[in-house]
Amino acid sequence: MAKKPKKQPGGTPATVTLTAAGTAFTVHAYDHDPSSPSYGEEAAEALGVSPDRVFKTLVADVDGELTVAVVPVAGSLDLKALAAAVGGKRATMADPAAAERTTGYVRGGISPLGQRKRLRTVLDASARAHPTICVSAGRRGLEVELSAEDLAGLTGAVFAEIGRAA
């Protein structure tokens, strides 16, 4: 299990949020390769963690409202399932600039935690199958490991089957 949180010098908004909440978490850093085609798969490989335990944070537009989807990097997001999970009709991927502006993070480093504006969040139900999962800690090359239940509690996320296997 993750260790008790420690103050991270120069922490990201995500790690500051976790520390302030007293949540158990572990930070994992790796050297990000800017030429990597997939941030999430790069993280899984660099950390030696199964891709079904590393989750990517995607921002979608559901009926005009930005919504966060957290799904395993081993698959993709089912936009119809995401819309249904929040009672919407139609979902599309958000404009990257709008996602960055709203969350306060850059693409490839968007964390579901510590966002500038708290957005509705849906966490793929498969996260519950693991004692801990990894999500972006708020910048490329930095992941945070914590329990799915803690992540859901801190973000107000609902669990739903929104991921599609690769």
Side-chain angles (χ1 to χ4, degrees):
M1 184 64 187
K3 297 175 186 165
K4 266 309 232 183
K6 294 181 187 171
K7 276 248 186 229
Q8 300 290 325
T12 66
T15 60
V16 168
T17 297
L18 288 162
T19 300
T23 302
F25 69 99
T26 304
V27 173
H28 300 282
Y30 61 93
D31 291 326
H32 166 62
D33 177 0
S35 68
S36 179
S38 167
Y39 298 116
E41 288 175 12
E42 176 194 28
E45 187 175 315
L47 300 176
V49 176
S50 172
D52 64 343
R53 274 192 54 226
V54 178
F55 283 65
K56 54 190 169 188
T57 305
L58 303 172
V59 181
D61 180 317
V62 180
D63 299 334
E65 185 178 343
L66 292 182
T67 302
V68 172
V70 185
V71 296
V73 302
S76 61
L77 172 62
D78 182 334
L79 289 165
K80 286 182 181 181
L82 175 64
V86 296
K89 293 181 183 186
R90 185 170 184 269
T92 59
M93 293 307 296
D95 172 65
E100 289 180 346
R101 191 172 45 253
T102 305
T103 64
Y105 293 116
V106 297
R107 212 165 41 108
I110 294 178
S111 176
L113 298 156
Q115 295 180 355
R116 184 177 288 151
K117 178 183 178 193
R118 189 169 175 165
L119 300 173
R120 286 187 304 187
T121 302
V122 181
L123 181 53
D124 187 67
S126 68
R128 285 186 159 150
H130 308 286
T132 60
I133 60 170
C134 296
V135 296
S136 175
R139 71 172 183 254
R140 296 172 189 153
L142 196 65
E143 293 283 307
V144 64
E145 181 178 351
L146 73 165
S147 77
E149 296 298 333
D150 283 344
L151 178 60
L154 289 169
T155 60
V158 297
F159 287 94
E161 293 182 15
I162 59 167
R164 246 193 249 144

